[in-house]
Amino acid sequence: MADILATAAGEAASPVPGYPMPRDNRCPFHPPETVRRLTVEEPISKVLIWDGSTPWLITRHADQRTLLTDPRVSIDEKRPGFPHMTRGRAEVARVTPPLITNTDAPEHTRLRRMVNLPFTVKKVEDLRPAIQKITDDLIDAMLAGPKPADLVTALGLPVPTLVISELLGVPYEDNEFFHHQSTIALSHNSSAEEAAAASTALLGFLDGLLGQKMTAPADDMLSQLAARIKAGEMTREEAATMGVAVLIAGHETSASMIPLGTLVLLQNPDQLAVLRDTDEAKVVAAAVEELLRYLTIVHTGVRRIASADIEIGGQVIRAGDGIIFDLGAANWDAETFPEPGRVDLGRNARRHQAFGYGPHQCLGQNLARVELQVVYSTLYRRIPTLRLAIPVDELEFAFEGIAYSLRSLPVTW
Ligand code: HEM
């Protein structure tokens, strides 16, 4: 990532800062220093991205809320000037059919209604006992296995992967294949060809499963999508693309939150004790919101484009200008969250924007919340002596994806 930025910034010889900005290795949880300075000094400013374009960067919590709900702010990634995350994403966007992640209202509202049922609070609460069992079984296996254990492969990745596979109706046995392809499809380190090939492989995989569900439906989301294809409400390509989006978003994100949240708590034992010693669902829920705020794993900004001129904060965003919302900056905006660098599980962090804001706010947020509530409230209670097995400065972070993560988290007890 640093290389991409160095090249882009060098070529343009511009005072505009490159984006995304590298983090300080000494405090990897903190949003980059430049982003935090911009939040205070220049909350609506320009940045330079990989293709040499200079979209706006919006950093303040309040400005993000205003713009992310403004109908003149579009997510139509086919518009020229859209600030794509990478060259690979730009290539894939050209051929992606209409989807909840690239359409505005009213089309977005229509498409989102087709897929939101499994993610309502009620449906997700029904899954809580199954998520608890998955978590307990994985912790049993970890305790029975060798020490140290890697929390990423023992718990972080399998919990959300098992849950989303079950919910969608994707065979869990294929997890290595789809995790590998998702990582390539989203990585800043992949070439455009690699990203496109990974996306095609995932689409083919989901398309094959949809074919099976059309003839032999089951009680899962892909079967619901298959029924919509049969009813003529969706094309098969749209349904497969939707399946890919849910599969990727549904496992990569919680998989990164579980080990990262654990690391934060191991470094803040007084806060870990809050979670370990409570029986109150409200306390656990508040803790999860604070960890979501503090970590803000979606670290490369959510992307939009202006469809008309917009005046805000003394600036004019012109029609056709790209806009990037740095969610970490908003979640560390001291005007909304005083002392943002302090992890305080007792704070009211509900207004965080780790799931985005506005019509495209995360479809899977209720599911992610329950997964994190179950895992965090079970792990430290069942293994009260859990600790890092290597010095913290030897841990390796992965910043090349849409959500940042730990490559591994060796723990012992
Ligand atoms: C900790 C976990 C998660 C985080 C931090 C997260 C974060 C986000 C963010 C920031 C967005 C907004 C993107 C934008 O505005 O452009 C988003 C959208 C989305 N998320 Fe999540 N997500 C998580 C878990 C999940 C899960 C478990 C699913 C599974 C279904 C999911 C599915 C989606 C989908 C489909 C969208 C697109 C919604 C739309 O455009 O209408 N996410 N997520």
Side-chain angles (χ1 to χ4, degrees), residues 68 75 100-102 108 112 119 164 167 242 245-247 249-251 253-254 257 292 296-298 302-304 327 353-357 359-365 367-369 371-372:
L68 281 167
I75 200 167
I100 56 172
T101 51
N102 61 12
H108 174 258
R112 188 146 164 156
F119 302 103
I164 203 69
L167 191 147
M242 188 63 227
V246 169
L247 184 60
H251 84 281
T253 45
S254 301
M257 271 303 291
L292 284 162
T296 316
I297 54 169
V298 175
V302 297
R303 317 277 172 133
R304 301 288 190 271
L327 302 176
Q353 278 156 205
F355 290 123
Y357 191 71
H360 293 277
Q361 201 177 27
C362 181
L363 177 74
Q365 60 184 289
L367 180 61
R369 285 192 166 104
E371 288 174 347
L372 297 175

Side-chain angles (χ1 to χ4, degrees), residues 118 168 367 388:
L168 264 175
L367 180 61
L388 279 185

